mmCIF file of all heavy atoms in Angstrom:
data_model
loop_
_atom_site.group_PDB
_atom_site.id
_atom_site.type_symbol
_atom_site.label_atom_id
_atom_site.label_comp_id
_atom_site.label_asym_id
_atom_site.label_seq_id
_atom_site.Cartn_x
_atom_site.Cartn_y
_atom_site.Cartn_z
ATOM 1 N N ASP A 277 -11.619 -11.714 -5.793
ATOM 2 C CA ASP A 277 -12.684 -10.895 -5.412
ATOM 3 C C ASP A 277 -12.307 -9.471 -5.680
ATOM 4 O O ASP A 277 -11.643 -8.772 -4.847
ATOM 5 C CB ASP A 277 -12.892 -11.201 -3.862
ATOM 6 C CG ASP A 277 -14.026 -10.387 -3.293
ATOM 7 O OD1 ASP A 277 -14.484 -9.424 -3.953
ATOM 8 O OD2 ASP A 277 -14.447 -10.670 -2.128
ATOM 9 N N ASN A 280 -13.420 -6.701 -3.232
ATOM 10 C CA ASN A 280 -12.682 -6.725 -2.010
ATOM 11 C C ASN A 280 -11.101 -6.527 -2.246
ATOM 12 O O ASN A 280 -10.325 -6.525 -1.304
ATOM 13 C CB ASN A 280 -12.880 -8.004 -1.194
ATOM 14 C CG ASN A 280 -12.392 -8.022 0.161
ATOM 15 O OD1 ASN A 280 -12.732 -7.067 0.944
ATOM 16 N ND2 ASN A 280 -11.568 -8.915 0.567
ATOM 17 N N GLY A 327 11.363 -7.530 -2.483
ATOM 18 C CA GLY A 327 11.470 -7.178 -3.890
ATOM 19 C C GLY A 327 11.427 -5.660 -4.058
ATOM 20 O O GLY A 327 11.896 -4.894 -3.196
ATOM 21 N N GLU A 338 2.822 -8.150 4.768
ATOM 22 C CA GLU A 338 1.814 -7.163 4.676
ATOM 23 C C GLU A 338 0.868 -7.412 3.567
ATOM 24 O O GLU A 338 -0.282 -6.895 3.629
ATOM 25 C CB GLU A 338 2.495 -5.791 4.560
ATOM 26 C CG GLU A 338 3.178 -5.404 5.859
ATOM 27 C CD GLU A 338 4.218 -4.202 5.583
ATOM 28 O OE1 GLU A 338 5.257 -4.444 5.077
ATOM 29 O OE2 GLU A 338 3.795 -3.100 5.958
ATOM 30 N N ARG A 351 -3.347 -31.642 11.132
ATOM 31 C CA ARG A 351 -4.556 -30.791 11.145
ATOM 32 C C ARG A 351 -4.404 -29.643 10.137
ATOM 33 O O ARG A 351 -3.349 -29.197 9.868
ATOM 34 C CB ARG A 351 -4.723 -30.297 12.602
ATOM 35 C CG ARG A 351 -5.268 -31.335 13.619
ATOM 36 C CD ARG A 351 -5.344 -30.634 14.962
ATOM 37 N NE ARG A 351 -4.151 -30.053 15.422
ATOM 38 C CZ ARG A 351 -4.117 -29.174 16.400
ATOM 39 N NH1 ARG A 351 -5.178 -28.745 17.030
ATOM 40 N NH2 ARG A 351 -2.924 -28.629 16.839
ATOM 41 N N ASP A 362 -9.185 -7.155 11.650
ATOM 42 C CA ASP A 362 -9.587 -8.264 12.420
ATOM 43 C C ASP A 362 -8.838 -8.248 13.722
ATOM 44 O O ASP A 362 -7.560 -8.336 13.714
ATOM 45 C CB ASP A 362 -9.268 -9.560 11.633
ATOM 46 C CG ASP A 362 -9.973 -10.752 12.205
ATOM 47 O OD1 ASP A 362 -10.648 -10.607 13.265
ATOM 48 O OD2 ASP A 362 -9.873 -11.887 11.705
ATOM 49 N N SER A 363 -9.550 -8.116 14.847
ATOM 50 C CA SER A 363 -8.752 -8.264 16.046
ATOM 51 C C SER A 363 -9.421 -9.296 16.973
ATOM 52 O O SER A 363 -9.554 -9.196 18.170
ATOM 53 C CB SER A 363 -8.806 -6.830 16.846
ATOM 54 O OG SER A 363 -10.068 -6.364 17.185
ATOM 55 N N SER A 364 -9.878 -10.327 16.283
ATOM 56 C CA SER A 364 -10.492 -11.500 17.017
ATOM 57 C C SER A 364 -9.462 -12.538 17.442
ATOM 58 O O SER A 364 -9.297 -13.569 16.808
ATOM 59 C CB SER A 364 -11.563 -12.205 16.106
ATOM 60 O OG SER A 364 -10.949 -12.655 14.963
ATOM 61 N N LYS A 388 -3.588 -9.478 -0.795
ATOM 62 C CA LYS A 388 -4.232 -8.194 -1.118
ATOM 63 C C LYS A 388 -3.912 -7.842 -2.667
ATOM 64 O O LYS A 388 -2.907 -8.105 -3.208
ATOM 65 C CB LYS A 388 -3.494 -6.989 -0.399
ATOM 66 C CG LYS A 388 -3.735 -6.949 1.121
ATOM 67 C CD LYS A 388 -3.048 -5.741 1.628
ATOM 68 C CE LYS A 388 -3.094 -5.731 3.160
ATOM 69 N NZ LYS A 388 -2.231 -4.728 3.684
ATOM 70 N N ARG A 423 3.023 7.818 -4.395
ATOM 71 C CA ARG A 423 3.342 7.547 -5.862
ATOM 72 C C ARG A 423 4.720 6.887 -5.945
ATOM 73 O O ARG A 423 5.045 6.248 -6.966
ATOM 74 C CB ARG A 423 3.285 8.764 -6.633
ATOM 75 C CG ARG A 423 1.834 9.354 -6.779
ATOM 76 C CD ARG A 423 1.935 10.629 -7.530
ATOM 77 N NE ARG A 423 0.667 11.358 -7.575
ATOM 78 C CZ ARG A 423 0.312 12.121 -6.548
ATOM 79 N NH1 ARG A 423 1.065 12.256 -5.501
ATOM 80 N NH2 ARG A 423 -0.863 12.787 -6.617
ATOM 81 N N ASP A 460 0.792 5.743 -10.547
ATOM 82 C CA ASP A 460 -0.385 6.479 -10.069
ATOM 83 C C ASP A 460 -1.544 6.121 -11.022
ATOM 84 O O ASP A 460 -1.401 5.586 -12.046
ATOM 85 C CB ASP A 460 -0.050 7.931 -10.188
ATOM 86 C CG ASP A 460 -1.033 8.833 -9.348
ATOM 87 O OD1 ASP A 460 -1.909 8.240 -8.683
ATOM 88 O OD2 ASP A 460 -0.919 9.989 -9.331
ATOM 89 N N SER A 521 16.655 3.145 6.601
ATOM 90 C CA SER A 521 17.079 3.995 5.541
ATOM 91 C C SER A 521 18.040 5.120 6.121
ATOM 92 O O SER A 521 19.034 5.521 5.349
ATOM 93 C CB SER A 521 15.911 4.587 4.824
ATOM 94 O OG SER A 521 15.105 3.628 4.218
ATOM 95 N N SER A 522 17.716 5.648 7.242
ATOM 96 C CA SER A 522 18.496 6.777 7.735
ATOM 97 C C SER A 522 19.896 6.369 8.045
ATOM 98 O O SER A 522 20.783 7.200 8.145
ATOM 99 C CB SER A 522 17.857 7.256 9.048
ATOM 100 O OG SER A 522 17.597 6.125 9.883
ATOM 101 N N THR A 590 19.429 -6.062 9.851
ATOM 102 C CA THR A 590 19.151 -7.397 9.759
ATOM 103 C C THR A 590 20.060 -8.115 8.758
ATOM 104 O O THR A 590 20.440 -7.537 7.789
ATOM 105 C CB THR A 590 17.722 -7.748 9.370
ATOM 106 O OG1 THR A 590 17.550 -9.143 9.193
ATOM 107 C CG2 THR A 590 17.348 -7.056 7.973
ATOM 108 N N ALA A 592 19.279 -10.794 7.235
ATOM 109 C CA ALA A 592 18.355 -11.432 6.246
ATOM 110 C C ALA A 592 17.195 -10.595 6.009
ATOM 111 O O ALA A 592 16.295 -10.581 6.745
ATOM 112 C CB ALA A 592 18.041 -12.819 6.712
ATOM 113 N N GLY A 596 15.415 -14.733 3.457
ATOM 114 C CA GLY A 596 15.315 -15.775 4.543
ATOM 115 C C GLY A 596 16.659 -16.258 5.077
ATOM 116 O O GLY A 596 17.720 -15.663 4.685
ATOM 117 N N LYS A 609 20.892 -12.344 16.753
ATOM 118 C CA LYS A 609 19.489 -12.110 17.098
ATOM 119 C C LYS A 609 19.383 -11.913 18.696
ATOM 120 O O LYS A 609 20.018 -12.672 19.381
ATOM 121 C CB LYS A 609 18.553 -13.177 16.625
ATOM 122 C CG LYS A 609 17.116 -12.800 16.586
ATOM 123 C CD LYS A 609 16.818 -12.046 15.260
ATOM 124 C CE LYS A 609 15.364 -11.633 15.170
ATOM 125 N NZ LYS A 609 15.158 -10.873 13.894
ATOM 126 N N SER A 615 14.766 -17.479 21.966
ATOM 127 C CA SER A 615 14.110 -18.423 22.895
ATOM 128 C C SER A 615 12.617 -18.574 22.535
ATOM 129 O O SER A 615 12.091 -19.674 22.566
ATOM 130 C CB SER A 615 14.347 -17.926 24.240
ATOM 131 O OG SER A 615 13.317 -18.241 25.109
ATOM 132 N N MET A 620 8.092 -21.724 20.028
ATOM 133 C CA MET A 620 7.002 -21.842 18.950
ATOM 134 C C MET A 620 7.250 -23.266 18.221
ATOM 135 O O MET A 620 6.310 -23.975 17.946
ATOM 136 C CB MET A 620 7.150 -20.747 17.943
ATOM 137 C CG MET A 620 6.843 -19.362 18.545
ATOM 138 S SD MET A 620 5.155 -19.230 19.378
ATOM 139 C CE MET A 620 5.766 -19.249 21.026
ATOM 140 N N ASP B 195 12.909 9.185 13.916
ATOM 141 C CA ASP B 195 13.950 9.117 12.812
ATOM 142 C C ASP B 195 13.161 9.528 11.575
ATOM 143 O O ASP B 195 12.509 8.759 10.855
ATOM 144 C CB ASP B 195 14.353 7.604 12.838
ATOM 145 C CG ASP B 195 15.427 7.385 11.780
ATOM 146 O OD1 ASP B 195 15.646 8.333 10.822
ATOM 147 O OD2 ASP B 195 16.140 6.374 11.815
ATOM 148 N N ASN B 198 14.084 7.804 8.336
ATOM 149 C CA ASN B 198 13.513 6.439 8.204
ATOM 150 C C ASN B 198 12.034 6.409 8.346
ATOM 151 O O ASN B 198 11.414 5.376 8.260
ATOM 152 C CB ASN B 198 14.198 5.626 9.283
ATOM 153 C CG ASN B 198 13.974 4.082 9.126
ATOM 154 O OD1 ASN B 198 14.221 3.552 8.029
ATOM 155 N ND2 ASN B 198 13.418 3.458 10.091
ATOM 156 N N GLU B 256 -0.028 -3.404 11.013
ATOM 157 C CA GLU B 256 0.779 -2.981 9.845
ATOM 158 C C GLU B 256 1.593 -1.706 10.093
ATOM 159 O O GLU B 256 2.532 -1.454 9.384
ATOM 160 C CB GLU B 256 -0.096 -2.769 8.653
ATOM 161 C CG GLU B 256 -0.722 -4.044 8.205
ATOM 162 C CD GLU B 256 -1.922 -3.874 7.220
ATOM 163 O OE1 GLU B 256 -3.028 -3.638 7.743
ATOM 164 O OE2 GLU B 256 -1.700 -4.043 6.046
ATOM 165 N N ARG B 269 11.671 -11.676 31.692
ATOM 166 C CA ARG B 269 12.642 -11.383 30.646
ATOM 167 C C ARG B 269 12.168 -10.211 29.731
ATOM 168 O O ARG B 269 10.981 -10.087 29.515
ATOM 169 C CB ARG B 269 12.977 -12.595 29.845
ATOM 170 C CG ARG B 269 13.752 -13.604 30.548
ATOM 171 C CD ARG B 269 14.075 -14.811 29.636
ATOM 172 N NE ARG B 269 12.748 -15.443 29.129
ATOM 173 C CZ ARG B 269 12.766 -16.240 28.136
ATOM 174 N NH1 ARG B 269 13.832 -16.660 27.490
ATOM 175 N NH2 ARG B 269 11.558 -16.777 27.724
ATOM 176 N N LYS B 279 12.031 -4.210 5.972
ATOM 177 C CA LYS B 279 12.133 -5.577 5.425
ATOM 178 C C LYS B 279 12.990 -6.414 6.365
ATOM 179 O O LYS B 279 14.150 -5.929 6.697
ATOM 180 C CB LYS B 279 12.979 -5.460 4.120
ATOM 181 C CG LYS B 279 12.099 -5.554 2.858
ATOM 182 C CD LYS B 279 13.097 -5.539 1.693
ATOM 183 C CE LYS B 279 12.413 -5.461 0.344
ATOM 184 N NZ LYS B 279 13.387 -5.205 -0.766
ATOM 185 N N ASP B 280 12.494 -7.562 6.769
ATOM 186 C CA ASP B 280 13.303 -8.364 7.690
ATOM 187 C C ASP B 280 12.769 -9.766 7.561
ATOM 188 O O ASP B 280 11.560 -10.031 7.812
ATOM 189 C CB ASP B 280 13.208 -7.867 9.139
ATOM 190 C CG ASP B 280 14.138 -8.478 10.109
ATOM 191 O OD1 ASP B 280 14.925 -9.343 9.628
ATOM 192 O OD2 ASP B 280 14.147 -8.137 11.250
ATOM 193 N N SER B 281 13.626 -10.687 7.141
ATOM 194 C CA SER B 281 13.191 -12.103 7.100
ATOM 195 C C SER B 281 14.139 -12.927 7.908
ATOM 196 O O SER B 281 14.401 -14.142 7.553
ATOM 197 C CB SER B 281 13.005 -12.626 5.661
ATOM 198 O OG SER B 281 14.248 -12.570 4.976
ATOM 199 N N SER B 282 14.621 -12.398 9.058
ATOM 200 C CA SER B 282 15.542 -13.061 9.883
ATOM 201 C C SER B 282 14.822 -13.851 10.975
ATOM 202 O O SER B 282 14.921 -13.493 12.152
ATOM 203 C CB SER B 282 16.603 -12.082 10.480
ATOM 204 O OG SER B 282 15.999 -11.145 11.270
ATOM 205 N N LYS B 306 5.624 3.121 12.167
ATOM 206 C CA LYS B 306 5.853 3.788 10.880
ATOM 207 C C LYS B 306 5.272 5.227 10.929
ATOM 208 O O LYS B 306 4.220 5.498 11.424
ATOM 209 C CB LYS B 306 5.039 3.084 9.793
ATOM 210 C CG LYS B 306 5.617 1.648 9.420
ATOM 211 C CD LYS B 306 4.742 1.163 8.215
ATOM 212 C CE LYS B 306 4.994 -0.311 7.936
ATOM 213 N NZ LYS B 306 4.018 -0.883 6.997
ATOM 214 N N ARG B 341 -4.774 7.741 -2.814
ATOM 215 C CA ARG B 341 -5.292 9.037 -2.294
ATOM 216 C C ARG B 341 -6.544 8.813 -1.393
ATOM 217 O O ARG B 341 -6.869 9.632 -0.530
ATOM 218 C CB ARG B 341 -5.617 10.022 -3.379
ATOM 219 C CG ARG B 341 -4.413 10.564 -4.120
ATOM 220 C CD ARG B 341 -4.881 11.437 -5.252
ATOM 221 N NE ARG B 341 -3.791 11.858 -6.148
ATOM 222 C CZ ARG B 341 -3.446 11.028 -7.180
ATOM 223 N NH1 ARG B 341 -3.920 9.885 -7.307
ATOM 224 N NH2 ARG B 341 -2.473 11.431 -7.954
ATOM 225 N N ASP B 378 -3.302 13.853 -0.171
ATOM 226 C CA ASP B 378 -2.239 13.721 -1.080
ATOM 227 C C ASP B 378 -1.122 14.813 -0.776
ATOM 228 O O ASP B 378 -1.378 15.708 0.005
ATOM 229 C CB ASP B 378 -2.765 14.068 -2.482
ATOM 230 C CG ASP B 378 -1.868 13.522 -3.613
ATOM 231 O OD1 ASP B 378 -0.813 13.004 -3.311
ATOM 232 O OD2 ASP B 378 -2.269 13.724 -4.795
ATOM 233 N N SER B 439 -15.233 -6.287 1.984
ATOM 234 C CA SER B 439 -16.033 -5.190 1.410
ATOM 235 C C SER B 439 -17.054 -5.670 0.379
ATOM 236 O O SER B 439 -18.153 -5.119 0.300
ATOM 237 C CB SER B 439 -15.073 -4.135 0.723
ATOM 238 O OG SER B 439 -14.314 -3.522 1.730
ATOM 239 N N SER B 440 -16.623 -6.693 -0.321
ATOM 240 C CA SER B 440 -17.494 -7.201 -1.436
ATOM 241 C C SER B 440 -18.832 -7.811 -0.767
ATOM 242 O O SER B 440 -19.762 -7.988 -1.527
ATOM 243 C CB SER B 440 -16.716 -8.311 -2.229
ATOM 244 O OG SER B 440 -16.189 -9.225 -1.354
ATOM 245 N N THR B 508 -15.580 -11.160 10.757
ATOM 246 C CA THR B 508 -15.088 -11.234 12.098
ATOM 247 C C THR B 508 -15.942 -10.572 13.078
ATOM 248 O O THR B 508 -16.602 -9.577 12.766
ATOM 249 C CB THR B 508 -13.655 -10.605 12.184
ATOM 250 O OG1 THR B 508 -13.235 -10.656 13.590
ATOM 251 C CG2 THR B 508 -13.685 -9.178 11.730
ATOM 252 N N ALA B 510 -14.966 -9.286 15.859
ATOM 253 C CA ALA B 510 -14.178 -8.269 16.545
ATOM 254 C C ALA B 510 -13.247 -7.690 15.515
ATOM 255 O O ALA B 510 -12.107 -8.228 15.227
ATOM 256 C CB ALA B 510 -13.325 -8.868 17.719
ATOM 257 N N GLY B 514 -11.024 -5.462 19.751
ATOM 258 C CA GLY B 514 -10.533 -6.642 20.492
ATOM 259 C C GLY B 514 -11.712 -7.452 21.038
ATOM 260 O O GLY B 514 -12.879 -7.246 20.725
ATOM 261 N N LYS B 527 -14.595 -19.150 15.915
ATOM 262 C CA LYS B 527 -13.274 -19.215 15.359
ATOM 263 C C LYS B 527 -12.940 -20.663 14.931
ATOM 264 O O LYS B 527 -13.296 -21.549 15.579
ATOM 265 C CB LYS B 527 -12.273 -18.657 16.407
ATOM 266 C CG LYS B 527 -10.978 -18.240 15.797
ATOM 267 C CD LYS B 527 -10.987 -16.831 15.216
ATOM 268 C CE LYS B 527 -9.663 -16.370 14.651
ATOM 269 N NZ LYS B 527 -9.841 -14.960 14.058
ATOM 270 N N SER B 533 -6.817 -23.629 18.951
ATOM 271 C CA SER B 533 -5.877 -24.581 19.651
ATOM 272 C C SER B 533 -4.450 -23.946 19.612
ATOM 273 O O SER B 533 -3.675 -24.061 20.551
ATOM 274 C CB SER B 533 -5.987 -25.935 18.978
ATOM 275 O OG SER B 533 -4.756 -26.577 18.958
ATOM 276 N N MET B 538 0.123 -21.153 22.336
ATOM 277 C CA MET B 538 1.010 -19.909 22.502
ATOM 278 C C MET B 538 0.935 -19.457 23.942
ATOM 279 O O MET B 538 1.907 -19.094 24.576
ATOM 280 C CB MET B 538 0.503 -18.808 21.593
ATOM 281 C CG MET B 538 0.645 -19.034 20.133
ATOM 282 S SD MET B 538 2.343 -19.542 19.568
ATOM 283 C CE MET B 538 2.171 -21.295 19.357
#
Side-chain angles (χ1 to χ4, degrees):
Chain A
D277 183 344
N280 193 53
E338 290 165 281
R351 287 181 302 165
D362 192 359
S363 63
S364 62
K388 289 183 192 172
R423 291 177 191 82
D460 198 359
S521 294
S522 49
T590 175
K609 199 81 179 180
S615 149
M620 296 305 103
Chain B
D195 183 343
N198 193 53
E256 290 166 281
R269 289 181 302 166
K279 259 186 190 170
D280 191 359
S281 63
S282 62
K306 289 183 190 171
R341 292 177 190 82
D378 199 359
S439 293
S440 50
T508 175
K527 199 83 178 177
S533 150
M538 296 303 104

